[in-house]
Amino acid sequence: MTVAHPKTVYLKDYQPPRFRIQQTKLHFTLREQFTEVKAVLQLERQPGSDERELRLHGQELQLQELRLDGRLLGEGEYELTEEELIVFSVPERFELSSVVHIEPHKNTALEGLYQSRGLYCTQCEAEGFRKITFYLDRPDVLSVFTTTIVAPAGDFPVLLSNGNKIESGTNADGTHYATWHDPFPKPAYLFALVAGKLSCVEDHFVTMSGRKVTLQIFVEDKDLDKCEHAMRSLKNAMKWDEEVYGREYDLDIFMIVAVDDFNMGAMENKGLNIFNTSCVLANPRTTTDLGFQRVEGVVAHEYFHNWSGNRVTCRDWFQLSLKEGFTVFRDSEFSADMGARIVKRVEDVQLLRTLQFAEDAGPMSHPVQPASFIEISNFYTLTVYEKGAEVVRMIHTLLGPELFRRGTDLYFERHDGQAVTIEDFVQAMVDVSGRDFSQFMNWYRQAGTPVVKAQDHYDAETRQYHLTLSQSCPSTPEATAEQKAPFHIPVAMGLLGEAGALRLQLAGQEVDDLPADNTHLVLELTEREQTFVFENVPEKPVPSLLRNFSAPVKLEYAYAPDDLLRIITTDDDGFCRWDAAQQLGIMAIQANQTDAAFKAQDLANAFKLVLDDASLDPALVALMLDLPSETYLGEQQAVVDVDGNYRARRAVQVQLAEALEGGLRDVYLRCQQALSPLGDSVEGKAIALRSLRNRALSYLTLLYKQEYRSWCERQFASSTNMTDVLAALTCAVQSQDPDIQPFRTRALQEFYDRWQHEPLVVNQWLSVQAADPGEGALARVKDLLQSPAFDIRNPNKVRSLIGVFATQNPRNFHAVDGEGYVFLADQILLLNQQNPQIAARLLTPLTKWRRFDAHRQHLMRDQLRRIARVSKLSKDVYEVVNKSLVE
Ligand code: B3K
Ligand code: ZN
């Protein structure tokens, strides 16, 4: 859709639907040139409404026939616009039947019904169903669907839709058909259809009430060896949701289909999840450990939606976080339970602090419950998902696990089968706890990342410790800093003495009422400034603040290096330990840039303690040894110092490698030894060891020594799992060692030759090169764009090459000649018509122009303006470009 001046939709304008659709009967005939869709809808006016005019959504549909209660409607009885079908006069209860033609093979936007490598599939969320048939395409219209698919039996042996298959058979003309019925009323965005040549892996799960559910994963034949992990993850997720949330699956069958061309990770269609191949296929030979973890998380996420999203759905799209924030919280706790809890937490926080905080501070900043949008596809954001999950996590922290569970029980029970709001979710929490959440709602309604400043004072005479917390929130498009009301912020904390955690006694508390091990507290900051006084504090403590990242805020406290060392060595909160290492890393990098007192050698001393601490999980050690990314460093600066950050970070890495060489060698060899009996296992222990070993290798290859070059070569040649192979290849590409170049060239070629027929592996190969910080990377990316390894119609390839270049290669993307920006804008303009959702996503790095120096600002804005001038902009691109150009 291209619209000259797209209109803004507001939450405050919400109106309930005027009609209900009791039954939806769909009949698809798949033909080579077009698909015929017949829809028979049983409609009913909402009680209390006297509306006679019926308006249905519909886009790019060729209407063939329209009948009301069986009578063919004449031209004067309805009107067709670009976006609607208006039937001028309808009775109270009636049947509307329509026949339309659509052209899935021409659908490059991958929204609605489209083809991916010959396979028919759908993506309807948020507003794709209107590209399939005329309908009330809004989440608060729930209907019971029966779907028949007719297609040539030879090319499309598998025909799937939601619910249970109730009929199938063959026709004399070589076609066959299947009819599916879904007994659960659902909004149209959860509709799905798949037709094609697919193979299937089958298993089953017995639910807590003893029902046997058939589980099927459909993939191309060549991928049958990559389904085991997804199946295991699915069964684990089903069990976990029963145990942790008391939620049981409700149909007799649960299907997953893998497709190659998909705009995002996966989609939770009722009973028939459709997945991007990248989020379902996994085999150690082709998939990294990170890939395995992603499959586990996404499979669980989509499964969890069956309750948080499908059984209880959203009233309107402003409530998106109702299902997404909650479901991300659920999947992240699931992953934490399946693997290393602290590692998962750190990864989530890294994502939030580098990318969501940047979104919150940029021109597209919006509340978790947005107040308006032009194109809803632009609001599937880190704010709605990740910050939304943090907000649910805070409710969990404030209520504790038992009350929280009572709250979710009440929510599911009260709203089963309904389309509800974020307020309904919070109300359930209020009702079980009796607590007041009115101030807490600011988290949903105000955008921006709050800043919490902590200051303290210790009085040795009175043995009192004063901790003063104050909060503020920067201006965002919807409100200035002054207009913002204070947030209700849970600040989890402890106090560390020289010999470990101190007992906490707040002023006014009786010692006898406190448990002996009272070393952890959740303070609730609700005012702009509050002071908390602790009694009987025996020594000046180091505060351990925002434990487990208890709120999505920026915490400011003037830690001295020694304070951070104390946290790193004695805190029992893994997040605070990791964060303290990050802060030391920032100090060392800044010192490199400014010549301050804290030196890389001091950091090396701290890292040595980490390396030597046998009690730490190797995966956490690997994370602690990783310096803050260039992007995160930029986040801490008023004006991002692109070149300085790259140079200083690299310099500190080299100094660390030099200072810690012996320790890193030991670690590499020790991990290698520990791994040998584990082979290519993808269990937690092996994953952790590989991550630490590969961290060591990445440091050692910065030393430009023959010995480590040969370690790298050997690892590349002899490993049989993709994690280790790709880590070695990445080291060769990232290290600027001139003597590693011959190996690098050879390895890249060998890798491609070996894996060219595995698209997901080729994508990783594209990404490694896209992230190459070296000179000439852009030219190589452009060459790759023309190579058979790339295809601009495939979103995974676009993300792997163009997306990675623009987001993970700051040095080349932000090159002073502006060529990186021109390149990105060129690609966006190519994609604008073809796939608007992907085009709009790619814009993100350019929208951050305000964060850079005047020269780069100018160049970035030039490209945004160049895009804005194009007359046929999709709504998606129009919204992002125009919002980011607002002065
Ligand atoms: N609900 C889908 C996202 C749909 C995005 C549409 N543009 C996947 C998920 O969050 O589970
Ligand atoms: Zn989701």
Side-chain angles (χ1 to χ4, degrees):
M1 278 290 304
T2 53
V3 188
H5 290 290
K7 65 173 198 299
T8 302
V9 190
Y10 294 92
L11 166 59
K12 64 175 168 42
D13 294 341
Y14 172 82
Q15 294 278 341
R18 308 274 159 86
F19 293 90
R20 295 202 276 237
I21 308 179
Q22 307 284 38
Q23 291 273 347
T24 299
K25 287 216 164 79
L26 301 171
H27 190 284
F28 290 81
T29 310
L30 308 180
R31 301 209 178 92
E32 207 173 312
Q33 292 308 314
F34 64 90
T35 291
E36 182 174 281
V37 187
K38 180 170 184 191
V40 180
L41 315 179
Q42 305 301 329
L43 285 128
E44 194 181 292
R45 207 177 283 156
Q46 285 285 14
S49 156
D50 58 358
E51 183 67 63
R52 307 217 155 243
E53 190 180 80
L54 173 71
R55 287 173 171 258
L56 298 181
H57 301 109
Q59 274 175 19
E60 298 160 39
L61 305 172
Q62 299 158 29
L63 182 62
Q64 307 295 311
E65 190 184 294
L66 186 64
R67 289 174 189 271
L68 200 153
D69 287 332
R71 189 176 66 78
L72 203 60
L73 289 186
E75 277 200 357
E77 294 179 280
Y78 66 89
E79 186 191 336
L80 266 180
T81 72
E82 284 266 287
E83 299 189 37
E84 278 183 322
L85 165 68
I86 307 160
V87 183
F88 298 130
S89 180
V90 298
E92 194 177 335
R93 194 169 285 122
F94 59 101
E95 178 184 285
L96 190 84
S97 92
S98 67
V99 177
V100 303
H101 287 178
I102 53 179
E103 298 179 303
H105 61 287
K106 292 191 184 159
N107 182 344
T108 56
L110 314 185
E111 195 190 28
L113 178 65
Y114 65 95
Q115 282 190 294
S116 172
R117 283 163 70 98
L119 180 90
Y120 283 88
C121 62
T122 51
Q123 172 51 39
C124 293
E125 187 177 358
E127 298 180 334
F129 192 73
R130 61 189 63 184
K131 293 169 134 194
I132 294 176
T133 191
F134 291 106
Y135 206 74
L136 287 172
D137 188 8
R138 42 186 290 170
D140 55 356
V141 172
L142 282 73
S143 181
V144 173
F145 282 67
T146 308
T147 305
T148 300
I149 312 160
V150 184
D155 286 339
F156 307 98
V158 175
L159 305 175
L160 310 173
S161 190
N162 317 85
N164 303 309
K165 187 157 39 168
I166 53 169
E167 217 192 313
S168 63
T170 53
N171 301 316
D173 62 356
T175 62
H176 70 150
Y177 68 93
T179 300
W180 292 79
H181 176 74
D182 179 4
F184 293 95
K186 64 166 174 291
Y189 83 86
L190 291 172
F191 169 80
L193 175 155
V194 169
K197 241 184 217 142
L198 291 164
S199 301
C200 162
V201 171
E202 189 170 310
D203 204 335
H204 70 271
F205 178 80
V206 180
T207 69
M208 59 187 182
S209 71
R211 280 186 315 103
K212 188 170 171 179
V213 180
T214 301
L215 310 177
Q216 295 178 321
I217 300 181
F218 290 88
V219 297
E220 282 184 34
D221 208 50
K222 69 171 179 62
D223 293 324
L224 277 172
D225 61 344
K226 305 189 188 78
C227 298
E228 197 187 306
H229 179 64
M231 188 63 91
R232 192 177 36 235
S233 304
L234 174 60
K235 291 194 282 184
N236 285 340
M238 294 177 88
K239 183 148 176 289
W240 188 88
D241 213 18
E242 291 184 346
E243 287 170 3
V244 181
Y245 282 86
R247 298 293 114 199
E248 187 176 351
Y249 186 62
D250 48 13
L251 285 162
D252 298 333
I253 181 165
F254 184 85
M255 297 172 282
I256 288 179
V257 179
V259 305
D260 222 40
D261 304 295
F262 206 64
N263 280 348
M264 64 272 170
M267 178 63 210
E268 71 263 23
N269 316 300
K270 183 77 187 187
L272 177 55
N273 286 190
I274 297 183
F275 270 63
N276 188 321
T277 43
S278 71
C279 293
V280 62
L281 303 179
N283 181 310
R285 277 184 338 108
T286 52
T287 314
T288 60
D289 295 339
L290 219 68
F292 269 80
Q293 284 163 349
R294 173 137 173 90
V295 167
E296 179 182 71
V298 178
V299 167
H301 178 99
E302 305 310 330
Y303 173 73
F304 295 153
H305 269 315
N306 191 55
W307 274 97
S308 50
N310 301 3
R311 288 287 287 259
V312 182
T313 195
C314 302
R315 187 192 73 172
D316 53 70
W317 292 120
F318 298 101
Q319 319 301 328
L320 186 56
S321 197
L322 171 74
K323 73 177 178 84
E324 296 305 347
F326 185 23
T327 305
V328 171
F329 172 67
R330 276 151 58 68
D331 84 56
S332 121
E333 282 298 291
F334 165 76
S335 296
D337 283 346
M338 294 296 116
R341 172 162 285 275
I342 179 61
V343 173
K344 174 64 181 156
R345 188 69 191 128
V346 165
E347 286 166 356
D348 285 352
V349 174
Q350 270 178 327
L351 178 69
L352 198 85
R353 289 209 301 209
T354 31
L355 300 179
Q356 194 281 324
F357 281 14
E359 181 171 280
D360 237 350
M364 284 295 288
S365 169
H366 55 276
V368 174
Q369 183 185 56
S372 69
F373 58 74
I374 291 178
E375 170 53 62
I376 183 58
S377 298
N378 286 331
F379 286 79
Y380 286 76
T381 57
L382 290 153
T383 301
V384 165
Y385 275 65
E386 265 61 44
K387 184 175 181 182
E390 292 300 322
V391 174
V392 174
R393 182 179 293 278
M394 287 190 285
I395 299 178
H396 185 272
T397 303
L398 290 168
L399 294 190
E402 286 85 23
L403 264 184
F404 182 81
R405 167 67 193 273
R406 277 173 45 203
T408 59
D409 281 355
L410 177 62
Y411 167 72
F412 287 127
E413 185 197 336
R414 187 184 269 173
H415 298 296
D416 189 7
Q418 297 179 358
V420 302
T421 61
I422 285 170
E423 285 74 6
D424 292 320
F425 179 80
V426 178
Q427 189 59 46
M429 299 296 165
V430 170
D431 290 347
V432 294
S433 66
R435 290 199 54 160
D436 181 359
F437 273 85
S438 42
Q439 184 185 3
F440 188 85
M441 291 309 290
N442 293 336
W443 282 111
Y444 286 108
R445 295 175 186 150
Q446 294 185 151
T449 307
V451 178
V452 172
K453 284 205 173 87
Q455 285 175 314
D456 59 355
H457 166 73
Y458 177 68
D459 186 335
E461 241 156 64
T462 59
R463 290 162 52 98
Q464 273 190 339
Y465 174 73
H466 291 238
L467 180 67
T468 300
L469 300 177
S470 59
Q471 60 165 308
S472 61
C473 184
S475 300
T476 48
E478 94 297 351
T480 63
E482 296 71 39
Q483 288 165 335
K484 288 193 185 178
F487 293 83
H488 181 167
I489 306 176
V491 181
M493 54 83 64
L495 296 178
L496 305 178
E498 273 190 61
L502 302 176
R503 197 164 124 168
L504 304 177
Q505 181 194 350
L506 277 172
Q509 283 181 327
E510 286 300 324
V511 195
D512 299 342
D513 298 343
L514 297 172
D517 60 349
N518 192 49
T519 55
H520 180 88
L521 252 185
V522 178
L523 303 174
E524 293 187 28
L525 173 63
T526 52
E527 313 281 324
R528 289 194 196 278
E529 185 174 304
Q530 260 165 282
T531 298
F532 300 88
V533 180
F534 295 84
E535 307 273 12
N536 291 318
V537 182
E539 59 184 294
K540 182 175 184 319
V542 171
S544 156
L545 296 170
L546 209 68
R547 285 183 161 181
N548 201 35
F549 198 63
S550 61
V553 301
K554 291 185 186 167
L555 176 78
E556 290 178 5
Y557 175 83
Y559 281 113
D562 281 346
D563 297 341
L564 294 169
L565 265 181
R566 185 180 294 181
I567 295 176
I568 289 175
T569 48
T570 67
D571 202 338
D572 57 11
D573 186 85
F575 164 76
C576 285
R577 291 180 99 152
W578 167 79
D579 194 38
Q582 289 283 292
Q583 291 184 55
L584 279 185
I586 293 179
M587 284 182 183
I589 293 169
Q590 280 171 350
N592 189 282
Q593 280 157 304
T594 60
D595 214 38
F598 188 80
K599 291 285 178 255
Q601 186 55 49
D602 301 309
L603 183 62
N605 295 340
F607 278 9
K608 184 153 179 9
L609 298 176
V610 174
L611 271 174
D612 293 345
D613 187 342
S615 71
L616 284 175
D617 176 350
L620 182 60
V621 176
L623 282 170
M624 289 175 82
L625 296 185
D626 192 17
L627 292 178
S629 67
E630 285 162 66
T631 312
Y632 186 65
L633 292 170
E635 268 298 287
Q636 318 306 309
Q637 295 164 331
V639 177
V640 179
D641 180 3
V642 176
D643 304 299
N645 288 343
Y646 173 78
R647 250 185 284 116
R649 184 173 187 272
R650 183 52 75 120
V652 173
Q653 280 176 326
V654 173
Q655 292 170 59
L656 286 172
E658 284 164 353
L660 298 172
E661 184 178 354
L664 291 165
R665 284 177 65 98
D666 283 354
V667 161
Y668 185 87
L669 297 170
R670 252 193 291 125
C671 290
Q672 179 150 289
Q673 200 165 29
L675 273 162
S676 75
L678 302 175
D680 295 334
S681 148
V682 283
E683 297 305 315
K685 187 176 173 202
I687 293 180
L689 289 167
R690 279 196 287 272
S691 67
L692 182 53
R693 183 173 73 142
N694 289 326
R695 174 79 60 231
L697 185 67
S698 73
Y699 275 111
L700 292 169
T701 48
L702 295 179
L703 293 173
Y704 295 7
K705 288 190 180 174
Q706 179 51 37
E707 185 177 15
Y708 305 126
R709 282 193 291 271
S710 64
W711 284 15
C712 187
E713 286 194 42
R714 197 172 51 229
Q715 180 169 323
F716 178 79
S718 66
S719 303
T720 46
N721 68 78
M722 188 47 70
T723 306
D724 288 340
V725 173
L726 206 66
L729 188 64
T730 305
C731 286
V733 172
Q734 287 280 323
S735 134
Q736 305 296 308
D737 180 355
D739 293 330
I740 213 167
Q741 298 313 312
F743 165 63
R744 167 196 156 121
T745 310
R746 185 163 44 80
L748 281 169
Q749 189 59 47
E750 269 176 28
F751 187 96
Y752 181 72
D753 291 345
R754 165 128 199 240
W755 298 111
Q756 55 183 308
H757 302 300
E758 293 280 359
L760 296 175
V761 183
V762 171
N763 295 348
Q764 303 184 69
W765 178 81
L766 293 172
S767 295
V768 170
Q769 298 174 82
D772 173 6
E775 260 169 45
L778 176 57
R780 287 190 293 275
V781 167
K782 285 181 178 170
D783 286 344
L784 287 169
L785 216 53
Q786 304 305 325
S787 77
F790 187 75
D791 178 357
I792 198 155
R793 288 167 306 180
N794 178 264
N796 287 351
K797 296 207 177 288
V798 172
R799 282 185 279 261
S800 302
L801 187 61
I802 306 167
V804 167
F805 176 77
T807 55
Q808 290 168 47
N809 195 344
R811 194 176 180 221
N812 281 297
F813 174 63
H814 293 286
V816 277
D817 61 6
E819 286 302 314
Y821 307 145
V822 175
F823 165 74
L824 185 63
D826 287 346
Q827 307 311 315
I828 291 167
L829 287 172
L830 269 179
L831 280 160
N832 164 51
Q833 294 279 337
Q834 218 178 82
N835 189 332
Q837 287 182 18
I838 299 293
R841 289 275 144 153
L842 281 183
L843 268 166
T844 309
L846 284 174
T847 66
K848 309 272 154 67
W849 59 270
R850 281 184 184 77
R851 305 279 300 110
F852 294 86
D853 54 78
H855 174 71
R856 286 185 171 92
Q857 281 199 8
H858 178 78
L859 295 170
M860 291 170 93
R861 246 185 330 166
D862 268 359
Q863 294 309 312
L864 285 169
R865 291 203 186 103
R866 178 179 154 220
I867 297 169
R869 275 198 302 274
V870 169
S871 59
K872 281 193 170 168
L873 277 192
S874 60
K875 261 196 199 183
D876 310 59
V877 173
Y878 174 94
E879 176 169 36
V880 180
V881 163
N882 284 288
K883 286 187 175 169
S884 44
L885 280 171
V886 168
E887 286 302 324

